Amino acid sequence: MRSRSRSHRRRAVVLAAVCALGAGLLGGCADDGGDDRAGGSGGPDTKGRTTLTVGVFGVFGYKQAGLYDEYMELNPDIAIKETSIERNENYYPQLLTHLSTGSGLADIQAVEVANIAEVTATQADRLVDLSKAPGVRKEDFIPWKWQQATTDDGRTVGLGTDIGPMAICYRKDLFRAAGLPTDREEVGKLWAGDWDKYIETGRRYQRKAPKGTSFVDSAGGVYKAVVAGSPQRYYDTDGKVIYKDSPAVKQAWDTAMDAATGKLTARLQQVQKEWDQAFANGRFATVSCPPWMLGFIKEKAGPAAEDQWDVAAAPRPGNWGGSFLTVPAASGHKEEAMKLAAWLTAPEQQAKLFAKQASFPSAQSAYALPQVADARHPYFGDAPIGKIFADAARGVPAQILGPKDQVIDQNIVDIGVLQVDRQGKSPEDGWRAATRTIDNALDE
C-alpha cells in the first residue's frame, strides 16, 4: 500500500475506523481504555490470578469486542493485560530485539502478515509450536493462512487472526449515471475472471462519467489488488528475489499503468487527507475493497452516501492484510498463553470478532457460523458481506512470502506507481525509480 510508516499507520487507523462497520452489524465498539481487571506484567496479580500479557500493534479488537472479559469469566484464575504500540514499524523491530534477547516479551505477541515469513524463517526456535496447543485444529483454518506461519519441518509458530479477502466496492449512483449496471451480481459479471475487464469497464465508465469523477481512486490500489491474487510475486520457492522478472508483478504493474495512463484514476494516494475527502465528495466510482475497507468507506463517505455504495466480487480472489498470534518460548506462562491464543483464534471467537470489529476470519470453519454466513451490511445496500468475502477467501492461492516483501511492495507502489499516477512520469521512468530504491534497500 505504501511507505513503511504509512503502511502501519493505515492498519492502526483502519482497524480503529472499522468500528463503524461493527456498529453497522451488531452495535457499537467498546471503549479502548485499559483493562481494569488485569494486573501487572507476568506472575499472579494481587487477587491471586495469573496475568497473561498480550502485545499487539494498532487495534486488534479483542478488548473492544469483549473477548478478554469473556475469557476471564470462563477462567477466573486468569487476568489479561494488553499492551499496544500504534504502529507496526515501531512494534516489529522491538519484537525482534526482545526475541533475540529472550527478555521483555509478552506472553502472546502479534505478528503482521508482511513480517510472518521473516519471523517463521529466523525466529521459529524462539517461538512455541502452536499446532500442539489444546483445541487447535489445522483444518479449521484457511490452508494458505496456516501455511504462512509453518516452518519447513512442520512447526506452526503463529495462529491466524484476520485476513483481507478482496472485493470491489462501487458507487451505484455513479455507475447508473455512466450507463453501467448497478446490481452487484451484474457488476461482478462485468469483470469476472480478468482484471483487464475491470480496466475496460473503467474506459466505459469514463466515456459517460459524471463530471469531476473517475472510475477508480488510485493506480496504487489497482496494483495492490492485482498482485494480491498471485501465488508467486516477489520471491520464488527457493527464496530468491524475483520481482523484476515476476509475471505476477508485470501483470499488476501493467494493469496499474493502464489505469494511470488511461486517465481512469482520481490520482489519489491512499490513506491521505485528500483520499479521505474524495470519499465524502464522491470523486471516484470504485475502490479495491478488503473487509477492513468497509468501515473506512462508511466513516469517510458519511451518512449522505448510505446505500450509494455496494460490494461486488473482485475480478480474481486476492488477499490484502492479516495477522497472527505467537507465543514466545521465553514466556513464563507458556501453557496458559497457548490456551489463550488458541481460544482467541478459534472459529467461534473469530466469528464474534467479525460481527463486532469487522476482522474477517482466517478460520474457515467460522464461515458457516451465523455471525459470518448471515452477515449483511446495511450501509452497502444490505450486501451479503459474509458470503462475498468467504467466497473470495476460499479462492485465494497460497502465496510465497519473503522477508522483504513489504520493502519491495511499498516501493513499487509509493515510488514507481505514484510517480506515474500523480506526477505524470512514464511507466518506464516509474519502474526504474522503483527498482533503484528497492535494490538499494535490499543491499542494506
Side-chain angles (χ1 to χ4, degrees):
M1 272 182 204
R2 53 278 168 189
S3 72
R4 187 171 179 86
S5 62
R6 259 198 323 274
S7 166
H8 301 293
R9 180 166 64 252
R10 168 180 295 185
R11 178 176 172 82
V13 170
V14 165
L15 286 175
V18 98
C19 288
L21 174 55
L25 292 174
L26 290 179
C29 294
D31 179 65
D32 191 25
D35 185 348
D36 59 7
R37 292 188 60 190
S41 176
D45 68 5
T46 55
K47 296 181 181 179
R49 295 179 296 187
T50 297
T51 298
L52 297 179
T53 53
V54 182
V56 303
F57 51 91
V59 180
F60 267 58
Y62 296 130
K63 184 189 305 182
Q64 292 81 357
L67 292 183
Y68 291 151
D69 286 339
E70 182 178 349
Y71 190 82
M72 289 186 287
E73 289 174 6
L74 294 171
N75 300 272
D77 59 329
I78 297 293
I80 301 170
K81 180 179 181 181
E82 180 186 282
T83 59
S84 178
I85 295 175
E86 181 180 1
R87 300 180 184 177
N88 187 59
E89 70 266 25
N90 298 324
Y91 169 89
Y92 183 61
Q94 291 184 29
L95 174 60
L96 291 180
T97 298
H98 294 320
L99 284 170
S100 67
T101 62
S103 63
L105 290 158
D107 296 301
I108 293 175
Q109 296 277 179
V111 177
E112 209 263 352
V113 65
N115 305 123
I116 195 63
E118 183 174 30
V119 166
T120 302
T122 66
Q123 305 295 324
D125 60 341
R126 298 181 174 97
L127 298 169
V128 172
D129 182 0
L130 290 173
S131 67
K132 303 183 184 305
V136 169
R137 302 191 326 149
K138 177 180 177 180
E139 58 268 28
D140 280 339
F141 291 84
I142 286 281
W144 55 263
K145 183 74 170 183
W146 183 272
Q147 177 184 320
Q148 287 176 338
T150 299
T151 64
D152 290 341
D153 62 0
R155 298 179 68 249
T156 300
V157 298
L159 295 177
T161 58
D162 60 318
I163 54 176
M166 197 74 63
I168 298 290
C169 290
Y170 67 99
R171 283 196 62 137
K172 291 178 286 191
D173 56 338
L174 298 184
F175 267 46
R176 185 179 300 111
L180 295 173
T182 59
D183 175 78
R184 67 181 67 96
E185 297 294 332
E186 294 301 314
V187 169
K189 289 177 183 178
L190 291 173
W191 49 64
D194 191 344
W195 281 100
D196 287 342
K197 293 180 182 178
Y198 177 74
I199 296 299
E200 179 54 37
T201 301
R203 295 190 184 104
R204 287 179 58 189
Y205 175 88
Q206 293 299 154
R207 285 196 284 269
K208 295 184 179 180
K211 185 178 179 180
T213 72
S214 300
F215 178 64
V216 64
D217 65 321
S218 67
V222 172
Y223 175 87
K224 294 287 298 182
V226 179
V227 83
S230 299
Q232 187 167 290
R233 304 173 299 169
Y234 306 134
Y235 288 79
D236 65 14
T237 54
D238 296 323
K240 179 183 176 183
V241 176
I242 60 163
Y243 79 95
K244 290 180 183 177
D245 302 308
S246 167
V249 172
K250 184 179 189 309
Q251 180 193 14
W253 176 266
D254 288 348
T255 306
M257 293 303 98
D258 285 345
T261 61
K263 303 186 184 306
L264 306 183
T265 82
R267 300 173 60 195
L268 298 167
Q269 185 173 10
Q270 292 187 333
V271 196
Q272 299 296 307
K273 186 176 181 180
E274 187 182 7
W275 188 64
D276 295 351
Q277 293 172 340
F279 278 111
N281 298 334
R283 281 184 54 196
F284 54 87
T286 70
V287 62
S288 300
C289 202
W292 47 260
M293 187 71 78
L294 300 178
F296 210 90
I297 292 171
K298 181 179 176 180
E299 181 192 36
K300 301 304 179 184
E306 184 169 0
D307 201 32
Q308 298 299 341
W309 283 96
D310 211 319
V311 188
R316 296 183 66 82
N319 184 71
W320 186 353
S323 297
F324 298 81
L325 297 184
T326 69
V327 174
S331 166
H333 310 290
K334 284 198 291 288
E335 296 300 322
E336 294 91 342
M338 289 171 69
K339 291 177 184 177
L340 175 58
W343 188 85
L344 289 171
T345 57
E348 295 78 10
Q349 277 61 254
Q350 291 206 25
K352 294 172 189 173
L353 194 63
F354 174 64
K356 292 290 184 69
Q357 295 291 115
S359 296
F360 196 79
S362 63
Q364 61 186 349
S365 297
Y367 302 164
L369 298 177
Q371 296 100 319
V372 180
D374 301 335
R376 291 181 173 270
H377 200 306
Y379 187 89
F380 291 81
D382 214 27
I385 58 172
K387 182 180 186 306
I388 290 170
F389 289 121
D391 288 347
R394 293 187 185 102
V396 174
Q399 295 176 327
I400 298 170
L401 300 180
K404 301 302 180 184
D405 262 41
Q406 188 177 56
V407 171
I408 298 170
D409 190 83
Q410 73 190 33
N411 283 296
I412 289 177
V413 173
D414 286 348
I415 300 296
V417 175
L418 200 64
Q419 286 190 5
V420 180
D421 199 24
R422 287 180 68 90
Q423 300 175 25
K425 293 190 177 181
S426 70
E428 294 77 17
D429 286 343
W431 181 253
R432 278 193 292 269
T435 57
R436 213 167 28 241
T437 306
I438 292 167
D439 291 345
N440 287 338
L442 295 181
D443 287 340
E444 291 177 356

